[in-house]
Amino acid sequence: SLVYQSIHDLDSGDLRKAEALARWHHPKWGHVPPHEFVPIAERSGLIVELGEWILREACRQAKAWEARSGQGVVVSVNVSAIQFAHPGFYRTVEAALEDHALLPELLELELTEGIVMYGVDHVTETLQRLQRLGVRIAIDDFGTGYSSFAYLRDLPIDTVKIDKSFVKDLGSPLHAPQFALALVEAITHVAKHLDLVIVAEGIETEAQRQMLKDLGCQLGQGYLFSRPMPADDLQPFLPMPPTAQRPVRDTLVN
């Protein structure tokens, strides 16, 4: 099944996106966490089929939210490097959008730096095709592994997501906060010059939100705003339909 975690504007607090997250509830084993079943799916090759189901279900839900609220909400979907490298991946994305009549700009694909292992030229070409289609592209967990600032310059992307480990370290004297601060400052500085949207993951306190906002992050995600939840529970966060908004005179009473 899928749950969704909201992504908010750090200034206004308004909902901007929702990230789709896969969950597996096994009748015998109970809750199986993603860090256990996703690697198995990748090793077995089932990640392509699983990823296609997640993509289609997320597009279906995005269309349902659009119909319910009258306004679109961008849905972010994680894509594994193996799934991305599959020859039919672009067509899978195209078909998911077409089948649910979803505007491409309401879909964002989140990729990790692992995609470049399949060749920068191939990756760039596929990302350019997706962008021409109208789909948004995000680099997830930036700052971990072998991330390079050259990715931000060379790859056609729209959003960079700062890994939650650095957000956690910002306020922790035991985990070299000066390193986390320097890295976040560097990421935001480069991303702003490249006109990229910056999302900070793992925000849990108001102090973290304020610090990240001051550093230049536009959007945030984490328990401060919401935990991952079923689609129906996200309804209160959605934009109100125009007909449901209060008249201007009522908003001026107080």
Side-chain angles (χ1 to χ4, degrees), residues 133-198:
L133 183 62
V135 173
R136 307 184 190 200
I137 306 296
I139 293 294
D140 194 17
D141 299 335
F142 193 83
T144 62
Y146 300 98
S147 293
S148 168
F149 281 101
Y151 296 165
L152 304 185
R153 179 197 64 196
D154 299 337
L155 294 178
I157 60 177
D158 305 286
T159 301
V160 56
K161 299 188 74 174
I162 299 174
D163 187 69
K164 61 183 178 182
S165 62
F166 301 112
V167 173
K168 180 180 179 180
D169 288 352
L170 282 176
S172 173
L174 299 178
H175 294 88
Q178 67 276 11
F179 172 76
L181 179 61
L183 184 62
V184 173
E185 284 183 324
I187 294 173
T188 55
H189 180 74
V190 173
K192 283 192 289 187
H193 278 284
L194 296 174
D195 198 26
L196 302 176
V197 175
I198 309 164

Side-chain angles (χ1 to χ4, degrees), residues 99-115:
D99 290 349
H100 297 288
L102 183 68
L103 294 172
E105 55 264 32
L106 294 181
L107 174 65
E108 180 175 72
L109 302 178
E110 293 192 13
L111 310 163
T112 65
E113 74 233 33
I115 62 167

Side-chain angles (χ1 to χ4, degrees), residues 4 16-20 51 54-60 62-63 66 72-79 89-90 92-98 100 102-110 130-131 133-138 158-159:
Y4 297 85
R16 293 289 182 249
K17 305 178 185 180
E19 180 180 357
I54 292 171
L55 179 63
R56 288 182 172 275
E57 175 61 18
C59 287
R60 184 201 64 77
K63 187 64 180 181
E66 181 186 14
V73 175
V74 176
V75 174
S76 296
V77 177
N78 293 280
V79 177
F89 177 69
Y90 175 84
T92 296
V93 174
E94 195 175 41
L97 293 169
E98 291 174 353
H100 297 288
L102 183 68
L103 294 172
E105 55 264 32
L106 294 181
L107 174 65
E108 180 175 72
L109 302 178
E110 293 192 13
L130 289 167
Q131 278 195 332
L133 183 62
V135 173
R136 307 184 190 200
I137 306 296
D158 305 286
T159 301

Side-chain angles (χ1 to χ4, degrees), residues 229-244:
M229 63 183 70
D232 288 345
D233 293 349
L234 202 69
Q235 179 68 24
F237 294 97
L238 299 178
M240 294 174 60
T243 55

